[in-house]
Amino acid sequence: MVERYVAARGVTDARVLQAMREVPRHLFVPSLVASKAYGPGALPIGGKQTISQPYIVGRMIELLELTGKEKVLEIGTGTGYQAVVLSKLCAKVFSIERLNELALRAAELIREMKIYNATVKVFDGTYGWSDQAPFDRIIVAAAAPSVPEPLVQQLARTGKLVIPIGPAGNQRLARVTRAGTGVKIEDCGSAEFVPLVGRFGWKE
Ligand code: SAH
């Protein structure tokens, strides 16, 4: 999967590719679609949500430019797959999921896999996780109407935030860095994500 659908499509960061090779994706997807766990596509995970395509997971994590020392905030835990990949590439992962059922399952799997540097909580992630801020990196796995202000506030001065922006069918992947009192936004290509639903996201 990693060679064919991630590396061949342009993800080059060797640490990211290695971390993805180490995480068994079939453990995270529902048994009904387990045969497709190592295919190229997004897959349904319940609650109208999806686990992202392997390529986009690799691409977004590569854009974070992790060295191993960072404190990372993830919004949209889903199955926990991306949180576990992140846990191998940084110091600590704080992940927020708004749907109880998904968060519980992900937290259980993370514990069973003996991953001790990733924590999951149920909350509206558009508020960020203020107790733990600032974060060196923030990664959002659902598409927002615009960059949620609390996430910018909780980003460390030299931090990076990767987030898909836009409505269904017309989303762009953005990398946001702080620049003085404002932000710098880089366009990193098109994207296809479920909506980020919350106070600073789309309304329910
Ligand atoms: N990273 C996940 C896939 C995420 S799919 C994985 O590896 O499996 C996007 C997730 O974002 C969904 O589970 C959805 O419920 C969640 N989500 C949407 N809006 C949210 C919000 N405001 N706060 C937290 N999670 C949110």
Side-chain angles (χ1 to χ4, degrees), residues 49-51 76-79 82 96-98 102 124-125 141 194 197:
Q49 306 304 321
T50 54
I51 180 173
T77 316
T79 62
Q82 178 171 273
I96 310 179
E97 169 57 51
R98 76 182 258 275
L102 289 175
D124 172 1
V194 297
V197 177

Side-chain angles (χ1 to χ4, degrees), residues 5-27:
Y5 306 125
V6 186
R9 291 184 59 183
V11 173
T12 58
D13 185 323
R15 291 181 71 240
V16 175
L17 297 172
Q18 186 51 33
M20 290 186 73
R21 282 186 203 105
E22 287 169 15
V23 181
R25 195 165 181 263
H26 70 273
L27 297 181

Side-chain angles (χ1 to χ4, degrees), residues 17-47:
L17 297 172
Q18 186 51 33
M20 290 186 73
R21 282 186 203 105
E22 287 169 15
V23 181
R25 195 165 181 263
H26 70 273
L27 297 181
F28 295 84
V29 305
S31 45
L32 216 56
V33 292
S35 63
K36 296 183 183 161
Y38 298 99
L43 296 169
I45 59 173

Side-chain angles (χ1 to χ4, degrees), residues 170-185:
N170 187 21
Q171 298 170 5
R172 306 293 302 178
L173 197 56
R175 180 162 65 178
V176 180
T177 44
R178 296 179 71 147
T181 53
V183 295
K184 179 180 103 177
I185 301 187

Side-chain angles (χ1 to χ4, degrees), residues 135-158:
F135 296 95
D136 303 304
R137 303 289 188 269
I138 301 178
I139 181 167
V140 185
S146 59
V147 183
E149 190 51 36
L151 300 187
V152 176
Q153 295 304 330
Q154 292 177 26
L155 191 61
R157 286 245 152 257
T158 55

